[in-house]
Amino acid sequence: QEINIKANAALKLFNKEVIGGSEFINSAAGVLVFPEVLKAGFGIGGEYGEGALRVNNKTVSYYNTLSASIGLQLGAQMKTVILIFLNQKALNDFQNSDGWEIGVDGSVALVDIGAGKDINSMNFDDPIIGFIISNKGLMFNLTLEGTKINKITPE
């Protein structure tokens, strides 16, 4: 329930940040929302978050996201990651996978949407598009490559 409450808040923020966001999400095959992905590091870094997969505005399953990095890093930050599956095949491939890695099992195009532009007026070649939102707003020039996503199974 906590994941769903936070996912609702993240989608509300997305709709505020992206013109036409609500209509765009409603036309998608599915939406995977990670409302709070925490990145922390001291030399070696990592990211972790839990999220909800929504189909027809209803949560159908829960997932976690995990990635690691090595390099100069210090501190922590929180971000929201939203992946939108534009067609049923991409959604089915994701749901039928046993662990899914961005860049290996499927590519995700991060959207760079200009100020004042309605997302519904854009054409996308990729079946999965992604958005990263920080406390400063929609973020660009980032990557999700190497991020692993796994289904959370109830105990």
Side-chain angles (χ1 to χ4, degrees):
Q1 192 169 357
E2 181 182 349
I3 294 172
N4 282 322
I5 291 167
K6 290 178 179 179
N8 288 339
L11 289 173
K12 192 174 185 180
L13 177 62
F14 173 82
N15 293 333
K16 181 179 153 202
E17 290 279 324
V18 178
I19 296 171
S22 179
E23 298 85 9
F24 188 72
I25 284 178
N26 288 336
S27 68
V31 180
L32 182 58
V33 182
F34 292 103
E36 294 179 345
V37 177
L38 177 64
K39 179 178 184 177
F42 186 78
I44 297 173
E47 291 186 9
Y48 181 81
E50 295 178 338
L53 176 64
R54 302 235 169 129
V55 176
N56 297 322
N57 294 316
K58 291 184 175 64
T59 297
V60 295
S61 50
Y62 297 96
Y63 290 83
N64 64 31
T65 179
L66 181 66
S67 65
S69 58
I70 298 174
L72 187 60
Q73 50 199 325
L74 178 64
Q77 70 181 57
M78 187 80 71
K79 64 184 176 186
T80 296
V81 176
I82 298 175
L83 303 180
I84 301 175
F85 298 86
L86 298 180
N87 63 51
Q88 194 62 46
K89 181 185 180 330
L91 178 61
N92 291 345
D93 290 348
F94 173 76
Q95 287 181 293
N96 293 329
S97 71
D98 182 25
W100 195 81
E101 184 174 342
I102 295 174
V104 175
D105 299 304
S107 65
V108 174
L110 288 177
V111 176
D112 184 354
I113 186 166
K117 188 165 187 179
D118 188 321
I119 192 163
N120 295 297
S121 68
M122 299 174 72
N123 291 319
F124 299 101
D125 295 328
D126 296 280
I128 308 168
I129 60 170
F131 296 86
I132 300 173
I133 305 170
S134 74
N135 59 355
K136 295 182 175 89
L138 206 55
M139 300 175 73
F140 308 114
N141 299 325
L142 295 176
T143 183
L144 292 170
E145 293 292 313
T147 299
K148 293 182 182 358
I149 299 174
N150 293 295
K151 191 171 191 173
I152 299 173
T153 51
E155 296 177 6

